[in-house]
Each structure stands twice: as C-alpha cells, then as structure tokens.
Amino acid sequence: MSSDLETSPAAKAHAFNKILNAPKVSSRNQSPTDVEDRIKKLRRLILTETIPSSTDPTLRPRIWKILLRVNDVSAGTFLEYVGRGPCEVREKIRNDTFRTLATDRGFKERVREDMLVRLLDAFVWRNHDRQESHSLAFTYVQGMNVLAAPFLYTMPSELEAFFCFSKFIEECCPLYVQPTLEGVHRGLKLLDRCLKILDPELFAFLRSKNLSAELYAFPSVLTLCACTPPLEEVLHLWDFLLAFGVHLNVLCVIAQLLLMRDEVMEEPSPMKRLRQFPPLEAQPVIGICVTLVRDLPPELYDELVRHPYDVHET
C-alpha cells in the first residue's frame, strides 16, 4: 500500500469502495466467513489510509456499520422507543446534552440537542425492556452523551446512529457505562501500569508530582478521546478503535502523552499542561499506539483487551 501522502483522496475512496461494494457484502446471504474477510481487509486499509469522508461522505457510515456488524435497523422499534417520550432519567440527560462538543461549530450545525436527547432516551427505554434477560443493566451515565455524538454526526439518520450506538455500548465497552464507570476506572489503572513499563521516566516524574491517570486522563478515557478536538481527528481515531478494539484507547492516550512529553517534563506543575491536551492528531497517535502494543507483556495486554467488557476480570 502506498503511503498516505502518495495516495489521492479519490484513490483512497476507490480502495475502500472496492471492499464495500463486493457483491457478498450487500447480500443478505453472506456467510460469517465472508463478513470476517471483508472486515480484515477494511482493518488493513484503515491502518494505512485515512477514510476520505470529504470525497465520499457515505464511506465512514458504511464502514462503521460493517465493523460493528449492524445489519438490521428497525424503524418501527426505534419509533416505538421514541414514542414513549421522556425516560426516567431525562433530566440527567438534559443536564449534559446542551454542552456536548459545545465548541465545535460543525457538530452543532449538524447535530441538534433534541437529536441527542431522543437517541439517549430511546437507549434507556431499549435497555429498560432488556434488563431481565441480560447480566448487565444500562441506563444513562456521565459521558454517554459524548460517546453518542460521533454516531449522530457520522450516520445519515438518527435511526442508524441509534442502532450503531447501542451495539457499540452494549458490546464494545459495556463496563464503561455502568453506574460506577467500572471500565473507565480499570482503564485508568491500566494506563498507569502500561506507562510505567513503556516510559518509566515519564511515569516516575508524574508520580513525583502526585499525578496518576485518574487525575489527568479521566476525560480522555471516559470519552475515548472524543473530548479532544478537532472532531474530524476524533472520527479518524474512532475508525481505528472500531476496527481494532476500544481497549486501544488507553494506549492512544499514552501516545498523546508521549507527543507532549518534553513540555510535560519541563513543567514544574505539569497538571497545567495535562488539563487540556493539545489538538488531536490521529495518524501519529495511531502510529505510536501500534508500536506500543509490541512493547507490553502479553498478560498485561490481555487485561487491556478485556477491561472494557469482561465482567469477570479482577
């Protein structure tokens, strides 16, 4: 594959469309093997190329639906949830939705607050019906509004955003949205453990200032870096996380630390630098993240993989 700089947006779009438009992808009779084969090809391409969403706006939504294995979107089901009106935690939802990505003009132009409220209401109603048959219960928790935002921004309809968001929450990172935010706190502990191995000097410096990941990385772990603008770079990073696993966000946060390492190490009060990360640059962060994976002990990496969803992990 040619490098990102050498590949034109049109050529990238053609490469992605070649995978997406293969006959078996659109066939209802596709086998699990066919689906996995297409996902493997998409993963390889996502690792080397950015999705040229400005050239072909249909690409990212189609790719996300395949990566999340969202095949059926029932308008009737979604409208039934919406028709129930406000859920029991509507006030809590409204306390957060008005400030979701508030400084991003492009997001505000495309995603109205009522769209966020409607999606989150519907999600709570969906899981109100499902709680007896599932080991984990879901309701609205802190940060869920920011996790919903990229889906509403990316998908062509609220219907598709709802089903993609629901699949993402319930299967990719269910422990991140439990009332205790158990997965988030696991991720923060793992961030400290990984950083201690990957950059002992930086880890020791931060600890000498009484700074743990809980203090400086909570927003980035909670929102899978969606709290760090610009949004287009967040979406690029999420292409990678949806392709390879949201657990890698912990290493993406470490990658951002490494990119600002010199400034942090020179700062007498490093929390000033860490309170607001520099603008996100997805490609270098992904490149560093992939390198860091190779430097982790297998047992620690296995813990990292399982921390967003494994109820039995200690």
Side-chain angles (χ1 to χ4, degrees), residues 102-119:
T103 60
D104 191 294
R105 184 188 299 178
F107 175 77
K108 287 296 183 185
E109 288 174 354
R110 190 182 299 188
V111 180
R112 300 185 313 275
E113 184 187 357
D114 65 289
M115 294 165 66
L116 264 171
V117 172
R118 203 158 34 238
L119 183 148

Side-chain angles (χ1 to χ4, degrees), residues 237 240 251-253 255-256 259 280-290:
L237 186 67
F240 171 70
L251 298 184
C252 289
V253 178
Q256 290 172 82
L259 287 169
L280 183 65
E281 295 181 80
Q283 201 61 43
V285 166
I286 291 167
I288 294 169
C289 173
V290 170

Side-chain angles (χ1 to χ4, degrees), residues 180-249:
T180 60
L181 304 180
E182 181 183 347
V184 177
H185 294 296
R186 284 185 187 178
L188 291 162
K189 289 184 175 69
L190 283 163
L191 197 158
D192 278 329
R193 290 170 61 195
C194 291
L195 183 61
K196 186 175 184 179
I197 290 169
L198 298 168
D199 193 332
E201 184 182 11
L202 178 58
F203 175 80
F205 173 75
L206 292 174
R207 291 318 291 255
S208 74
K209 305 291 184 178
N210 295 315
L211 290 177
S212 66
E214 285 271 359
L215 295 174
Y216 65 80
F218 180 81
S220 295
V221 174
L222 175 72
T223 66
L224 303 178
C225 291
C227 62
T228 305
L231 180 56
E232 194 53 46
E233 292 296 310
V234 170
L235 299 179
H236 182 186
L237 186 67
W238 275 38
D239 297 335
F240 171 70
L241 295 177
L242 291 176
F244 293 96
V246 298
H247 63 280
L248 289 172
N249 182 59

Side-chain angles (χ1 to χ4, degrees), residues 21-201:
N21 295 335
K24 290 178 181 175
V25 172
S26 58
S27 169
R28 288 188 172 276
N29 298 319
Q30 61 186 318
S31 71
T33 304
D34 294 330
V35 175
E36 291 307 317
D37 182 54
R38 296 314 187 278
I39 288 175
K40 283 179 183 176
K41 289 178 180 176
L42 282 173
R43 283 174 176 153
R44 284 197 292 269
L45 203 51
I46 286 168
L47 203 55
T48 57
E49 303 289 2
T50 55
I51 296 175
S53 54
S54 58
T55 303
D56 184 348
T58 73
L59 279 175
R60 181 167 279 128
R62 292 157 68 203
I63 289 167
W64 281 19
K65 284 169 72 175
I66 289 173
L67 293 174
L68 288 165
R69 297 168 176 80
V70 172
N71 303 313
D72 299 314
V73 290
S74 166
T77 300
F78 177 60
L79 291 172
E80 195 273 322
Y81 295 139
V82 171
R84 296 187 195 181
C87 69
E88 61 187 5
V89 288
R90 162 65 78 85
E91 188 175 344
K92 190 175 180 183
I93 290 171
R94 289 296 301 273
N95 283 340
D96 290 342
T97 50
F98 76 92
R99 54 175 171 244
T100 305
L101 305 187
T103 60
D104 191 294
R105 184 188 299 178
F107 175 77
K108 287 296 183 185
E109 288 174 354
R110 190 182 299 188
V111 180
R112 300 185 313 275
E113 184 187 357
D114 65 289
M115 294 165 66
L116 264 171
V117 172
R118 203 158 34 238
L119 183 148
L120 294 166
D121 265 338
F123 178 78
V124 174
W125 281 124
R126 167 186 167 92
N127 283 283
H128 179 271
D129 292 352
R130 287 158 46 94
Q131 60 188 3
E132 290 184 6
S133 59
H134 289 75
S135 57
L136 288 173
F138 297 93
T139 184
Y140 178 78
V141 299
Q142 176 189 6
M144 201 180 271
N145 57 311
V146 183
L147 295 176
F151 291 103
L152 281 168
Y153 184 84
T154 297
M155 292 295 154
S157 69
E158 289 181 50
L159 174 66
E160 289 160 286
F162 169 74
F163 281 101
C164 287
F165 171 75
S166 298
K167 190 78 175 283
F168 174 72
I169 291 295
E170 292 160 8
E171 295 189 9
C172 297
C173 55
L175 296 183
Y176 271 54
V177 295
Q178 293 305 298
T180 60
L181 304 180
E182 181 183 347
V184 177
H185 294 296
R186 284 185 187 178
L188 291 162
K189 289 184 175 69
L190 283 163
L191 197 158
D192 278 329
R193 290 170 61 195
C194 291
L195 183 61
K196 186 175 184 179
I197 290 169
L198 298 168
D199 193 332
E201 184 182 11

